Structure formats: structure tokens, C-alpha cells
Amino acid sequence: FVPVFLGAGFLCSLLTTLLQRLLAAFTRYRAPEAIRLPQSGFATFLYFIGMCVVPAVLEELLERGAMQAVLSRWGTWFSIVVSSVVFTLLHGDIAQMPSLFILSVLMGLAAYCTGSLALGMALHFAYNTMSFLFLYAAQKMDGVSAFAFAGYLVAVVCLAAIRRLGVMRRFRPIPRVYDPKNRQSRLERLASAPMFTLVMACMALRAAWPLFAK
């Protein structure tokens, strides 16, 4: 699952880059500046912990461990999609949102199919680590070395994905879109929670604001 997920993550990164350029060309959107890694090796290690380890644990506990588990009473896909929407909106940058939503759905499926948060945390950590390594290559290596390193990472991910496509057969089946629980009025239940609806609307407004703000 991990190499397949990283392959999807790499494609999503390309999608994010494309959306950033399109939005910058036709709206007032400006892509967020990349994090600048410090010169010190120990400080870089602390950045790695803060960017890769902490979010993988805390965000999975919040989104999959708490929200998806609570919403699962109204259907598996419903819980995965709603928790993924919240996960996406929490990250703010609108150009990243389609990619984050796709990856969050995959992590939600991993949590459901394994019945554990461990794989979701591993996927989250692996994707964050891949992003960190690309950032490190861009800022700490010369152009040729960075290009070779990036190509090596992509090749490893793609080859591993091809070899491991059968890994999904060892998990519980992916849930059907139709679920008897879906007969319940899930959207009405969410709409009757004013605070949840207000928070979702505010996060959506925050994400869209850079497209029009001066």
C-alpha cells in the first residue's frame, strides 16, 4: 500500500503544481513560499520531526481516529469523505486541496481496510518524508545531484508500486458506495449542527479568499 500511495502522492504533487500556476495566471492567487530549511544538521532534523512525524501522528488521530470513527455510524464512505473534506480545509492552500482530498480518502480507506490507524500514520509519514526529501534536494544539493536524487526516488516508488499492486488483496474489501446505513438522513444531521456547518463554511471561505483578495 505504501509505494502505491506514494505513487499517487507524486502525481498529486504534479497536479498541485499545475493548479498553482493556473490559479496564479487567472486569479490573484499566489503560491505559498516553500519552507527554508536551516543550515544546521540538527536543526534540519528537528524540522523533519515537525514536518513529517508530528503531523502524521496527530492528524491521523484527529481525522481518522476521532472524526471518521464518530461519523462511521452513518456509513463508511460518508465518514471517509466528510473527514477528508475537513482534513483538506484545515490545510488552507486551495491549490493543494484536490490532491489532499484524494490522499486523505486513500488514508481513510487504509484505516477502514486494516481496522487500525497504524497504516494511515505510516502512509502519512511516508508522503511527508517524500515531500521533505524533495525539499531537501532542492535546497541542499546542486542541480544535477538533486535531479538524480529525485529521479531515483520516483523510480523506486514506481517499481515498488508495480511489484506490490496485489497488496490490497490482503485487506478487507473496499466498502461499497451503497450502504444500508446511508438510508439515514446524514446531511440533515450535519446541517442540524450549526457549529460544524459554520466552521466548515469559514474554512472554505478562508481557502477561497486568496483568489480574490488584493
Side-chain angles (χ1 to χ4, degrees), residues 50-197:
M51 294 172 60
C52 300
V53 179
V54 175
V57 175
L58 296 184
E59 291 180 1
E60 289 308 301
L61 286 175
L62 172 64
E63 300 297 333
R64 256 60 66 176
M67 183 171 294
Q68 183 171 316
V70 169
L71 296 175
S72 63
R73 61 185 297 185
W74 296 305
T76 301
W77 274 110
F78 176 75
S79 64
I80 291 173
V81 170
V82 173
S83 60
S84 295
V85 169
V86 175
F87 175 83
T88 301
L89 291 175
L90 284 174
H91 286 77
D93 182 20
I94 194 169
Q96 296 179 356
M97 288 186 174
S99 297
L100 290 174
F101 178 77
I102 293 171
L103 297 177
S104 181
V105 168
L106 292 176
M107 288 186 284
L109 285 173
Y112 168 80
C113 291
T114 61
S116 170
L117 294 178
L119 180 59
M121 290 180 180
L123 294 176
H124 203 146
F125 172 75
Y127 177 75
N128 289 351
T129 300
M130 182 179 71
S131 300
F132 182 87
L133 290 176
F134 280 120
L135 183 65
Y136 183 88
Q139 296 183 12
K140 301 289 187 178
M141 297 181 178
D142 61 85
V144 175
S145 299
F147 181 79
F149 181 66
Y152 173 77
L153 287 177
V154 173
V156 168
V157 168
C158 293
L159 290 176
I162 292 173
R163 291 173 59 87
R164 301 293 182 181
L165 284 175
V167 71
M168 287 292 293
R169 299 171 187 169
R170 294 195 290 268
F171 294 163
R172 283 193 293 176
I174 293 176
R176 296 174 300 171
V177 174
Y178 173 76
D179 188 322
K181 295 179 181 179
N182 290 350
R183 296 173 184 171
Q184 301 183 31
S185 55
R186 306 177 312 282
L187 296 180
E188 291 180 5
R189 291 173 184 266
L190 283 182
S192 65
M195 184 58 67
F196 181 83
T197 305

Side-chain angles (χ1 to χ4, degrees), residues 192-203:
S192 65
M195 184 58 67
F196 181 83
T197 305
L198 178 62
V199 171
M200 293 280 282
C202 289
M203 288 194 297

